[in-house]
Amino acid sequence: VVRYLANGKLDQSFGDQGQVRIESLSQFGDSGEKIAVTGTGDAVVCVTGQGMGSVLRIDDDGQTVSGFGDGGRFRESDIFGKRSYFNRCGGISAAPKGRILVGVSLYNGSPAVFRLKANGSVDPAFGKDGITKLKTDNPDYLSPVTFSG
């Protein structure tokens, strides 16, 4: 993740000389697919890798937010279990009250949307236990994901 100033130069105060490297959850490496900025200036990043997806929260200085999920990271196994990992992030959106909406493609290609609270825990008030599985085979419906109201 990199952050630029309005003049197009790297923001040297962010992370390590303007960039934050995402620690991989797998031996094959992870990639940050989608990013959104919260009302507090934190970045939330939807990360996918070989068999494991996550959402990472990075503060204005480029540090992971320790009060979010487990050490700054929500792991997809917290909502999907070990057998339904997501392998593609279609979109991510930050909303009032710190909620985060994430659209993903599950391992079998079916799209789903889940919502997290500001602390990185699953929001059980959304869908069924925090997740809504969509009745379509086209994960492109997930980009972009936005809040209404």
Side-chain angles (χ1 to χ4, degrees), residues 21-26 30-31 45-48 52-57 64-76 78 116 119-120:
R21 295 201 180 271
I22 297 170
E23 179 185 341
S24 179
L25 292 176
S26 72
D30 295 342
S31 64
V45 185
C46 186
V47 179
T48 58
M52 177 68 79
S54 63
V55 175
L56 184 68
R57 188 173 190 132
T64 54
V65 177
S66 62
F68 182 81
D70 180 15
R73 187 184 294 243
F74 163 84
R75 288 169 171 74
E76 54 85 24
D78 293 341
L116 302 176
N119 66 2

Side-chain angles (χ1 to χ4, degrees), residues 28-104:
F28 302 104
D30 295 342
S31 64
E33 289 192 28
K34 304 290 180 179
I35 189 167
V37 179
T38 69
T40 62
D42 292 352
V44 286
V45 185
C46 186
V47 179
T48 58
Q50 185 68 27
M52 177 68 79
S54 63
V55 175
L56 184 68
R57 188 173 190 132
I58 302 169
D59 68 17
D60 198 36
D61 293 326
Q63 304 298 313
T64 54
V65 177
S66 62
F68 182 81
D70 180 15
R73 187 184 294 243
F74 163 84
R75 288 169 171 74
E76 54 85 24
S77 59
D78 293 341
I79 192 170
F80 295 108
K82 292 183 178 182
R83 299 194 61 180
S84 295
Y85 60 86
F86 62 85
N87 61 9
R88 180 174 163 221
C89 185
I92 188 167
S93 179
K97 300 181 184 176
R99 296 174 299 172
I100 301 162
L101 191 66
V102 185
V104 297

